[in-house]
Amino acid sequence: MKRVLILFVICLLLGSTACTDQMYLEEVDIALILGIDKSEEGKEQILFVAPIFDESVERPYQVISIQEDALLRNARKKANAKAIGSLSTRKLQLLLLSKELLKEKNIFPYLDAIFRNPKDEVHSRVAVVDGKVEDLVNFNWKKKGQPGVILKTLLDEGERSGVTLISQLFRYHRQMLDPRMTPYLSEIKKDEDGVGVIGTALLSRDGIYRTTLDGEESTYLVLLKGEMKTELSTKLRAPKKVGGEKGLVDLEIRDVKNQIQIQPKGNKAKITIHMKLSVDIAEQPFYYPVEQYSDQHQLEKILEEQFTREFTEVITKFQRYQVEPIGIGSEVQAQQYQWWKQIEKDWPRVFSRSQVQVHPEVTIHGFGISK
Amino acid sequence: MVIIVAITAISSYIIPNYELANSVRIIRFPLMLMASIFGMVGIAIGVLIVLVHLISVRSVGMDYGDPLIPINFRDWKDTLIRAPIQFMRKRPSVNHPLQSRRQGQGKKSGVTNMQNQATEQITFFQFILLIYKTQIGINVLTLPRDLFAEANTDGWIVVILGCLVSILLSGIIIQIMKFHPKQILYDAMPKYLGKWLGKAFTFLWTLYALLTATLVLFTTIHIVKVWILPNTPFYLLMIIFLIPIYMVTKQGINMLARYAELAFLIAFFMPYLLFFALKNVEWLNLLPVLKDGWEPIVKSIGLVLPSFYGIELIFIWYPFLNQKQKAFRGAIIGNLLTMNILLIITLISFVNFSPMESEKMIWPTLGILKLIQFPFMERLEVFFLSFYLYVLFATVIPYLFTAVLGIKRLVGKMDTRGAGWILWLVLFGWVIVSILYFPTYSDLFQLHKFWSEVALYLIIGFFVGYTLYLVLFHWWKRVSHR
C-alpha cells in the first residue's frame, strides 16, 4: 500500500518536471529602464532598455520602442515580439516619465501592472525627464556602461548631495495614495554637455506636473521635511555689510530637528515650523572675527535671517503651485484630528491659503581649522 | 542551482562524521530534485521532511532531536556551543541519570531508562507552544488590512483587547476540562449530554476542525501560488505539503507538540525580520490615539478574535498535559506570545503604509517584506513565505488531528492515535478536491468570512452554554444525592 502510494506521488511529480515557473537567464532580456513618453495621436510611447551581454556589440544595450495607449502589460507583450529574448521587468532600476506627458495626465493608474505583480521590483527609482525620454536613453554613453546603471548611480549621488529627492516606486505609490501630502519625483535633463540631475519635480495631488525645485531648493525641502540621510551642504548669501560684495557662506548641515505647530482658523491655518539646525561652517571667503560667544551669536543670527528668507521663498513657491511635498498634513492629522477630517480632501489648497512661518535656530558647531 | 550545489558541497566539509556525511550526500539528491521543481518552496518542504523525520525517531530509547526538540533548555549549554567547564557540573537530564552531579560523592551510579518510554504526554512548555503556534496562521498575513478598515490606526488597541477576550475564553475552556481532566471533550460529551446529543456535538466540532484545516491549507497554497509559483499546478503543491503534514499527524499528540517546538525554533527570528522595514516610516500615522473614540475599536474585536482561535483545541490537549495545575498559566503565556507577534505586525504595517495604501493591500505583511532590501538578497518575501509554511502547517496539523479524532469517535474507535485509514481518507479527499477544483481568491475570502462567523458562534456559544450546563449538572447531582 505504502509503496504504491509513494510510486504514485513520484509519478505525479515526474510528470510535472517540465515546470513552468523556471526561468533561464540566457533566454531573458532584463529591462533596466522603463520609459514613458508622449507621442502623437494621444498615444504613449513606451521604451524598454535592456542590456545585451555580448562584448562584441558596439552598444551594449537595446532600446525597444512601442506605441501603446492603454496598458503597460500590453506594451510589454508588443515589446516581447521585438526583443531578442523574453522581456522581464523584474529587475527594473529606473522609471523615466517625460515632463510633457506628466503635464497632461496622471501616469499613476498606468503603472498598476507593476504594483499588482508580486514579482516586480518596487525599489526602482522614478524620475521625470525634461525633454524626450528617447533622446536621453539613446545618449552616447561612450563605453561608460549601461544607461540603467549610470542613471541610477547619478540619481543616488544626487540625493546624497541634496540636489534632488528620490522617490522609489513604492514611495511614489505611497505618496499618490496619501491625502496628507503631494508627490515629488527627481528630475533629470539631457543637454549639450551631458546628462545631469537638475532637481525635484513636484506633482499635484492628482499626479499632474506642477513645478520644479532646483538643487538649492531641493536641499531646503529636505530640511523642511526634517529627513536628512547624510550631511548636506547649502550656500547662503551673507548681508553686504558683513560679507562684502561676494558674501557667500557654505554650510555643512549636520542635523535638523523640526517641531511643527498648527493653529486652525476656519478653512486655513497658522503653521509654525521651529527648526533646530546644527551646522559647521565649511566655506566662508570673507573674514568674520569670532572671539566671544556674542560674536558667534551674531553670526548665527545672520544665518538664521538668511535661512528664514530662503525657506519663506520656497514655501511661497509651494503655495503658488498648490503643492505640499513637506508632509505637514501628517502633523495636522496627528494634532488637530477633528479639523483634519473636514479639510482632508482639500489639504493642498488649504495649505496654499495658510500662513506658514519658519523659525530656524542655528547652532554653529565648528569652523573647520581656520578662523 | 550551480550556486546552491557549490554551497552544499562546501558546507559538507563541516560534517566531521564520515557515516553521517554519506547519508547527507544521499539526502541531497531528492532535495536537489525538489529545488529544481519547486524552487525555494521545494527546499523548505524537503528540509522540513528531513527535520520531521529526525524529531520523530528514537534511538536507543532516546529522542534523536533531544535536547533541541523536545526543548530542554537545561541541556542546551552543551549542544550548540560548549559552555565553560564550571557550568557543566550536572549530567544531561536526557539520560535520566540516577545521580545528577558528575563525578559526585553519591553512592549510586549509572543511568536508567525507566521513565524514558514514549508517552502520550506533553510538557507545560509544549502546551504553550501548541497554543501559540496554532494561533499564528494565515491571519497574520492579512490582519493589518482588516483592522485598518474597521478601526483605522487604532487597530493595535483592538489586538490587546482581543488577547484579553481570548485569555478569558481559554480560562472558561480550562474550567470545563477540570470537570473531566482525563478525557478529551469528545469522550466526555456523551457522558454528560447523552449519547445522541454528544455525538451531534462531536460531529459539529469535527466539521469545524476539518473546515479550519481545509481553509488554512487551501489558503496557504493559494498564497504560495500568487507570490512564488504562479504556474505550478495546485494539486502538486497540495501533495508535497501533505507529506510532512501526514508524517506529523499520524504520530499523535506528542509529535504535534514536538512539531510546534520545531516551528517555534525555526520561525523564531521571522517577526523580527520585519524590523528592517522600520527605516523610513511615518510614526505620526499612529497619532492621535483613539482617533474616532472607542466605538470602532470595540466593534472590531470580532475581527481580531479569529487570529486567536486555536485556544478551543485545548479541549483535546488538556488531558495530555502533564502539569495540569499550570494549564491556565500556559494559556495566558501562549496568548501573550501571539499578541506580541500581532502587535509587531499591525504597528509596523500602520507606520509603513499611508492610509489609502493600507486598504489596497491584500497581504500587507508580505507587502512590508517586499520593501526590505538586502544587498545580498532580493525578494525577501519568497524566503520568508517558504519558511513561514512551517508555521502555517503548525496550524493545519492540530486541526487535522482534532478532526481525525472526531471522525474516529463517530465511527466508534476510542484511541487517540492519528494514524489509520481515517487520516488517509482525509488526505486523499484533499488531494482529490485539489485536482478537481481550484479555489479562487473570492472563494477563499468568502469561506474565511463564513468560517470566522461560525467559529465565533461555536466557540463562544458552545463553551459558555456547556459550562453553564456542567455547573447545573453537578449542582443537580449534589442536590439529588442529599
Side-chain angles (χ1 to χ4, degrees), chain B residues 13-43:
Chain B
Y13 287 117
I14 63 167
I15 303 170
N17 186 331
Y18 186 73
E19 279 93 45
L20 189 64
N22 269 341
S23 43
V24 167
R25 192 172 302 150
I26 298 299
I27 289 173
R28 215 155 66 193
F29 296 114
L31 269 181
M32 263 158 65
L33 192 72
M34 290 284 269
S36 87
I37 301 177
F38 299 105
M40 198 67 175
V41 177
I43 295 177

Side-chain angles (χ1 to χ4, degrees), chain B residues 22-158:
Chain B
N22 269 341
S23 43
V24 167
R25 192 172 302 150
I26 298 299
I27 289 173
R28 215 155 66 193
F29 296 114
L31 269 181
M32 263 158 65
L33 192 72
M34 290 284 269
S36 87
I37 301 177
F38 299 105
M40 198 67 175
V41 177
I43 295 177
I45 298 294
V47 171
L48 181 64
I49 292 172
V50 176
L51 286 177
V52 164
H53 180 67
L54 287 185
I55 59 173
S56 68
V57 292
R58 293 167 66 83
S59 166
V60 210
M62 262 179 277
D63 296 311
Y64 195 77
D66 208 301
L68 290 175
I69 294 157
I71 294 178
N72 189 346
F73 286 118
R74 257 186 52 206
D75 291 351
W76 269 34
K77 58 182 184 287
D78 197 17
T79 309
L80 295 177
I81 297 165
R82 196 174 184 279
I85 194 79
Q86 62 264 37
F87 296 115
M88 300 209 293
R89 293 264 159 78
K90 289 191 172 164
R91 293 187 168 131
S93 61
V94 239
N95 295 334
H96 298 282
L98 290 173
Q99 179 189 309
S100 64
R101 272 179 66 87
R102 280 170 208 252
Q103 304 285 314
Q105 299 300 313
K107 285 172 191 136
K108 290 175 190 166
S109 62
V111 294
T112 169
N113 280 324
M114 290 294 274
Q115 305 149 340
N116 207 18
Q117 302 298 318
T119 49
E120 284 213 319
Q121 271 201 343
I122 53 176
T123 63
F124 174 61
F125 192 65
Q126 286 176 331
F127 181 69
I128 295 174
L129 291 184
L130 263 177
I131 294 176
Y132 167 49
K133 281 295 155 195
T134 311
Q135 287 179 328
I136 299 285
I138 42 171
N139 273 52
V140 164
L141 305 178
T142 53
L143 184 71
R145 177 202 50 180
D146 299 341
L147 280 182
F148 188 88
E150 280 291 320
N152 211 322
T153 50
D154 290 331
W156 59 275
I157 304 174
V158 187

Side-chain angles (χ1 to χ4, degrees), chain B residues 157-414:
Chain B
I157 304 174
V158 187
V159 173
I160 297 175
L161 291 181
C163 178
L164 291 179
V165 174
S166 166
I167 289 176
L168 194 74
L169 273 174
S170 15
I172 295 178
I173 297 172
I174 288 168
Q175 282 306 317
I176 294 176
M177 293 310 288
K178 278 186 182 163
F179 285 116
H180 41 76
K182 290 254 158 74
Q183 282 170 314
I184 60 174
L185 191 71
Y186 293 147
D187 296 337
M189 275 191 305
K191 210 170 92 188
Y192 289 101
L193 296 170
K195 196 180 167 197
W196 288 109
L197 203 57
K199 276 222 164 162
F201 274 113
T202 305
F203 181 69
L204 213 60
W205 276 111
T206 308
L207 220 57
Y208 163 74
L210 199 59
L211 175 69
T212 315
T214 312
L215 177 69
V216 176
L217 189 61
F218 276 64
T219 312
T220 305
I221 299 174
H222 177 78
I223 294 172
V224 168
K225 265 183 77 68
V226 170
W227 282 85
I228 312 178
L229 300 165
N231 301 322
T232 304
F234 201 86
Y235 68 90
L236 266 187
L237 288 172
M238 175 66 92
I239 290 170
I240 61 158
F241 286 1
L242 286 185
I243 297 170
I245 291 180
Y246 166 74
M247 288 170 73
V248 177
T249 316
K250 74 167 181 183
Q251 300 195 48
I253 185 78
N254 197 268
M255 187 63 194
L256 249 65
R258 284 183 200 191
Y259 184 76
E261 286 178 322
L262 176 76
F264 171 72
L265 285 183
I266 287 183
F268 184 70
F269 68 95
M270 289 180 128
Y272 304 103
L273 269 183
L274 294 174
F275 282 116
F276 284 102
L278 283 179
K279 232 164 59 190
N280 290 308
V281 295
E282 184 71 280
W283 289 101
L284 286 175
N285 286 356
L286 296 176
L287 289 176
V289 180
L290 295 180
K291 279 191 176 65
D292 306 303
W294 283 98
E295 200 193 326
I297 294 179
V298 175
K299 268 187 185 165
S300 47
I301 288 183
L303 275 180
V304 80
L305 272 185
S307 311
F308 285 101
Y309 290 163
I311 46 169
E312 71 273 19
L313 297 189
I314 291 176
F315 73 68
I316 296 286
W317 303 329
Y318 185 82
F320 302 105
L321 180 62
N322 64 1
Q323 291 161 297
K324 293 202 172 48
Q325 71 284 4
K326 279 173 157 182
F328 187 51
R329 213 182 304 166
I332 292 177
I333 298 173
N335 277 312
L336 286 178
L337 284 173
T338 307
M339 184 190 83
N340 174 33
I341 303 294
L342 297 181
L343 268 184
I344 290 176
I345 285 159
T346 37
L347 282 175
I348 290 183
S349 76
F350 288 166
V351 296
N352 250 302
F353 298 128
S354 64
M356 277 148 82
E357 210 178 12
S358 287
E359 288 174 36
K360 265 188 85 175
M361 295 250 168
I362 297 181
W363 292 289
T365 312
L366 295 173
I368 298 171
L369 288 162
K370 215 164 137 63
L371 300 179
I372 303 172
Q373 231 188 357
F374 289 127
F376 53 87
M377 193 170 185
E378 266 183 346
R379 295 204 66 206
L380 183 68
E381 76 276 7
V382 170
F383 170 77
F384 181 92
L385 196 57
S386 303
F387 286 91
Y388 192 66
L389 288 176
Y390 292 14
V391 180
L392 292 171
F393 290 169
T395 311
V396 178
I397 290 166
Y399 279 102
L400 175 62
F401 182 68
T402 311
V404 167
L405 285 195
I407 301 174
K408 279 196 168 174
R409 295 299 176 276
L410 289 172
V411 299
K413 283 190 180 178
M414 296 317 249

Side-chain angles (χ1 to χ4, degrees), chain A residues 348-367:
Chain A
R349 197 162 324 149
V350 172
F351 174 75
S352 72
R353 279 196 294 260
S354 299
Q355 182 196 352
V356 186
Q357 284 180 342
V358 186
H359 296 299
E361 198 185 312
V362 179
T363 317
I364 301 175
H365 276 253
F367 292 87

